[in-house]
Amino acid sequence: MKIVVCISKAPDTTSKIAFKENNTQFDEAGIQFIINPYDEWYALVRALELKEANGGNVTVLNVGGAENDPIIRKALAIGADDAARIDAPTNDALFIAKQIAAYLKSNPADLVFFGKETIDYNGSQVGGMVSALLDLPYVSLASKLELNGTTAMLEREIEGGIELIETSLPFVLSAAKGMAEARIPNMRGIMAARTKPLNIVPAFEASNATEIKSFTLPPAKTGCKYVDADNVDELVNLLRNEAKAI
Amino acid sequence: MSVLIYTDTSNGAFTKNAFEAANYGSLVAKNEGTSATAIVIGEAKDISILGTYGITKVLHFNEALLTNFDPQKVAQIIIEAAKKISATTIILAHDYSGKAVAPILAAKLDVGLVTGAVALPEGNTVKKTVFSGKAFATIEIKTPTKIITVLPNAVEKQTFSETLSTEAFSCEIPSTRLTVKEVKKASNELSLTEADIVVSAGRGLKGPENWGMIEELAKELGAATACSRPVADIGWRPHHEHVGQTGLAIRPNLYIAIGISGAIQHLAGVNGSKVIVVINTDAEAPFFKAADYGIVGDAFEVVPKLIQAVKKLKA
Ligand SMILES: Cc1cc2nc3c(=O)[nH]c(=O)nc-3n(C[C@H](O)[C@H](O)[C@H](O)COP(=O)(O)OP(=O)(O)OC[C@H]3O[C@@H](n4cnc5c(N)ncnc54)[C@H](O)[C@@H]3O)c2cc1C
Ligand SMILES: Nc1ncnc2c1ncn2[C@@H]1O[C@H](COP(=O)(O)O)[C@@H](O)[C@H]1O
């Protein structure tokens, strides 16, 4: 079984967000980059578990420049067998999806994992787009996946509950919490990652459908109004009459 | 030129997010000087209510087979409906269905998509949340047709009184390899992502046995309950209540945080809330910086009093 896990690079969750160039660019100064948590904790780990149970091969796939190589090596250290990086810019979800779909057309996979969303762009787009470009079934925000031969049973998050879904290989999914437990790379994995193949693939022809024009930070809160712990009625009064929230 | 809105249903009733999408789509249509059409799939009670959200026309694809949600099929129906009315803008809610369907639509139609919009478009640009709620980006859609998914509370609710016409609609849908075997919903629970008020608690509550007062306060307020990540991780509360950067992102009108420190990853999932109330023993807890109202005090004393105060208000 051939499994591909698409991983993206994201700023660490503790990052303080700031912009530069007149608020048109994310300021990367002092930012530590990680594998997008959903891609690492859930997609990659579940892919490795399936490989361990059923045999096969796990490839991590990334679209981006050479600055992404450290996070790709980390995915190899966690246990992926090999990696490919499509050497292309990452300014638009549809453009990224077209890169990934073009790669998968010439390197078909039985199962393609995405994360639920990137924690910087928060698009929740690329996985669904790739499924459409390849005409494969798409299970979004899957919190559980079991394989039985080529039949797959999944749980998908919906408003206030879950759906149990059955589909068959090949298909595309985006992984959410519940799918697996995060793994920490061990020394052997880190050593092995150095010699695992990381293939650089030239970009495919495509154009951008969107463009980020500018960023803004949320307006700072004007300050917290404190209510005395002995005067809880006053809080209820403020919520009703001032904030009109209850 | 016209606006098409996908109004999702659950058990034959429109979801709250569907109304949010309808309201947003109608305002887009108004700004563009055109009309708002909704596409409704499957059985739906009380379609005429969409008129109060500004919809003037409904295309109703009523086939039982589609009570089983498959994003590929839903996308195909929306594409055909969009063709029929020459839609140049397609609006969906940024909920579980919208997140599944919108990217498929965008790829099939080869057009630009902005997900998680927090304001009406200005020309071809749309403002959306990025960095998990820590910032906003203004994004230009470069294709003539645009697709937008909308977050709750993105725009104020307007009251319209449109009389709408409903037209039966049907088209070929692809056969797919995906089947929904079962839908499991906690029927009596208010869904966290749709709730107007959320009462949330963290490690400050010391143990799962202390959640009775949180649930009671939520019940009195008609609120949903949520929790911080460690609380879900240790198993004090179910995982689906975990909010934050790695849990659910929510945008209620009112978020009450009890015994939660306000770590940056927690704030990321809740700082889209309109009003934030923080109750914490530690006056230095970072959450107070993000709060509108705060009580420095012990949850075990303040929350019971708060329950009484809310009861008194309602009496
Ligand atoms: C990669 C990553 C992702 C993360 N994602 C999330 C996420 O999505 N969501 C999330 O919530 N966290 C997330 N976290 C964890 C986050 O950093 C914090 O550790 C967590 O939010 C703290 O939870 P807490 O506030 O409940 O507990 P604590 O930090 O232990 O805070 C407890 C608070 O309760 C107060 N308190 C104590 N006793 C009382 C009392 N009697 N009455 C009132 N107040 C009292 C204390 O003063 C304190 O402020 C993430 C962390 C990482 C590294
Ligand atoms: N540059 C990229 N390279 C590879 N995979 C990506 C890239 N960007 C996004 N993805 C994948 O697509 C998912 C959804 O991304 P997004 O649509 O940006 O929220 C991520 O969780 C990744 O699995």
Side-chain angles (χ1 to χ4, degrees):
Chain A
M1 185 169 57
K2 187 150 176 34
I3 304 176
V4 169
V5 181
C6 294
I7 62 165
S8 60
K9 188 184 71 169
D12 182 78
T13 55
T14 53
S15 304
K16 204 161 160 21
I17 304 302
F19 303 104
K20 58 177 188 180
E21 306 288 327
N22 208 5
N23 286 328
T24 57
Q25 264 176 45
F26 176 51
D27 187 355
E28 297 190 354
I31 298 284
Q32 203 184 332
F33 284 96
I34 57 171
I35 307 176
N36 187 47
Y38 299 104
D39 310 355
E40 177 188 331
W41 301 347
Y42 309 130
L44 177 59
V45 176
R46 188 67 192 131
L48 294 173
E49 289 169 356
L50 290 173
K51 175 199 141 174
E52 284 153 14
N54 305 302
N57 181 83
V58 174
T59 300
V60 288
L61 179 59
N62 171 259
V63 181
E67 69 280 7
N68 291 2
D69 288 349
I71 65 124
I72 299 174
R73 288 278 172 217
K74 183 173 179 203
L76 292 170
I78 294 171
D81 297 294
D82 51 61
R85 176 168 60 78
I86 306 170
D87 198 13
T90 55
N91 302 316
D92 172 51
L94 190 51
F95 177 92
I96 296 171
K98 285 177 178 174
Q99 302 298 317
I100 293 172
Y103 174 88
L104 290 171
K105 265 184 194 147
S106 39
N107 302 273
D110 299 300
L111 188 50
V112 187
F113 276 90
F114 288 84
K116 156 179 153 174
E117 65 180 28
T118 44
I119 62 167
D120 48 2
Y121 182 71
N122 302 117
S124 231
Q125 298 191 14
V126 179
M129 287 170 166
V130 168
S131 81
L133 294 169
L134 297 174
D135 269 320
L136 292 174
Y138 178 49
V139 184
S140 59
L141 306 198
S143 49
K144 206 170 169 191
L145 161 65
E146 298 295 342
L147 272 184
N148 186 355
T150 59
T151 305
M153 288 297 300
L154 297 107
E155 287 184 10
R156 183 180 93 87
E157 295 177 4
I158 53 170
E159 241 73 46
I162 51 160
E163 251 175 24
L164 304 185
I165 288 175
E166 189 181 295
T167 186
S168 57
L169 300 176
F171 69 97
V172 174
L173 79 142
S174 78
K177 182 174 168 169
M179 174 74 56
E181 294 287 336
R183 281 187 188 180
I184 298 163
N186 57 27
M187 211 44 195
R188 230 180 82 219
I190 294 166
M191 297 302 286
R194 293 192 190 153
T195 54
K196 286 179 179 171
L198 194 178
N199 302 311
I200 311 300
V201 181
F204 301 89
E205 187 58 41
S207 55
N208 288 345
T210 61
E211 185 184 325
I212 297 183
K213 289 304 206 187
S214 63
F215 293 99
T216 41
L217 291 169
K221 288 270 176 183
T222 44
C224 178
K225 205 176 242 184
Y226 287 93
V227 175
D228 198 90
D230 294 323
N231 193 7
V232 175
D233 284 346
E234 175 61 10
L235 176 66
V236 170
N237 175 33
L238 287 167
L239 289 177
R240 161 69 51 107
N241 297 315
E242 186 179 80
K244 308 215 182 315
I246 58 174
Chain B
M1 201 174 81
S2 69
V3 178
L4 181 69
I5 300 119
Y6 170 54
T7 43
D8 193 18
T9 55
S10 167
N11 294 325
F14 291 113
T15 62
K16 181 166 173 261
N17 290 330
F19 291 137
E20 298 255 1
N23 181 52
Y24 182 96
S26 303
L27 293 172
V28 174
K30 209 164 122 188
N31 286 351
E32 292 185 354
T34 175
S35 62
T37 301
I39 171 84
V40 176
I41 299 177
E43 183 214 340
K45 298 179 202 114
D46 201 10
I47 286 185
S48 61
I49 195 171
L50 291 177
T52 63
Y53 292 89
I55 303 292
T56 53
K57 184 173 168 182
V58 168
L59 297 175
H60 190 191
F61 189 103
N62 196 0
E63 270 182 47
L65 126 106
L66 281 150
T67 39
N68 276 348
F69 180 87
D70 177 346
Q72 281 180 310
K73 290 183 179 168
V74 174
Q76 189 57 36
I77 295 166
I78 296 175
I79 288 171
E80 295 301 330
K83 259 191 221 156
K84 184 181 162 73
I85 64 158
S86 310
T88 42
T89 307
I90 304 175
I91 309 288
L92 303 90
H94 193 58
D95 58 7
Y96 293 103
S97 332
K99 285 178 193 175
V101 174
I104 298 181
L105 279 178
K108 290 278 182 202
L109 293 170
D110 201 18
V111 303
L113 163 66
V114 172
T115 51
V118 292
L120 288 172
E122 290 179 21
N124 291 327
T125 66
V126 189
K127 189 174 171 184
K128 74 165 302 236
T129 53
V130 287
F131 297 101
S132 307
K134 292 178 201 165
F136 301 105
T138 299
I139 300 194
E140 181 196 0
I141 297 182
K142 298 160 88 82
T143 51
T145 299
K146 49 182 182 284
I147 306 176
I148 301 169
T149 68
V150 189
L151 280 170
N153 285 328
V155 289
E156 294 287 328
K157 158 94 182 78
Q158 310 262 317
T159 310
F160 296 85
S161 49
E162 301 290 348
T163 10
L164 50 78
S165 61
T166 303
E167 193 179 307
F169 177 73
S170 107
C171 64
E172 290 279 322
I173 42 172
S175 63
T176 63
R177 285 187 276 118
L178 188 150
T179 40
V180 177
K181 292 281 171 191
E182 199 184 332
V183 180
K184 289 189 190 166
K185 278 202 180 185
S187 54
N188 48 358
E189 259 176 68
L190 191 57
S191 127
L192 188 49
T193 46
E194 290 193 305
D196 277 331
I197 305 180
V198 173
V199 178
S200 185
R203 210 146 50 178
L205 279 230
K206 314 279 189 284
E209 68 281 5
N210 296 325
W211 249 264
M213 62 179 186
I214 300 299
E215 281 170 355
E216 192 181 347
L217 177 60
K219 193 164 150 259
E220 288 302 326
L221 288 168
T225 50
C227 68
S228 67
R229 175 167 157 203
V231 161
D233 283 351
I234 7 174
W236 293 358
R237 297 298 291 174
H239 275 296
H240 65 250
E241 283 198 358
H242 156 201
V243 293
Q245 182 149 17
T246 49
L248 289 176
I250 54 171
R251 295 166 59 80
N253 274 327
L254 174 61
Y255 184 74
I256 305 181
I258 302 164
I260 303 176
S261 56
I264 192 163
Q265 297 98 346
H266 185 87
L267 294 179
V270 302
N271 60 10
S273 311
K274 261 202 192 134
V275 178
I276 294 180
V277 174
V278 170
I279 299 169
N280 198 305
T281 40
D282 178 6
E284 300 299 316
F287 220 142
F288 285 115
K289 290 206 180 66
D292 299 283
Y293 300 100
I295 293 185
V296 178
D298 186 341
F300 297 99
E301 287 166 23
V302 174
V303 175
K305 284 189 201 159
L306 191 52
I307 293 169
Q308 292 314 317
V310 173
K311 278 191 178 153
K312 213 160 75 189
L313 176 83
K314 292 202 316 191

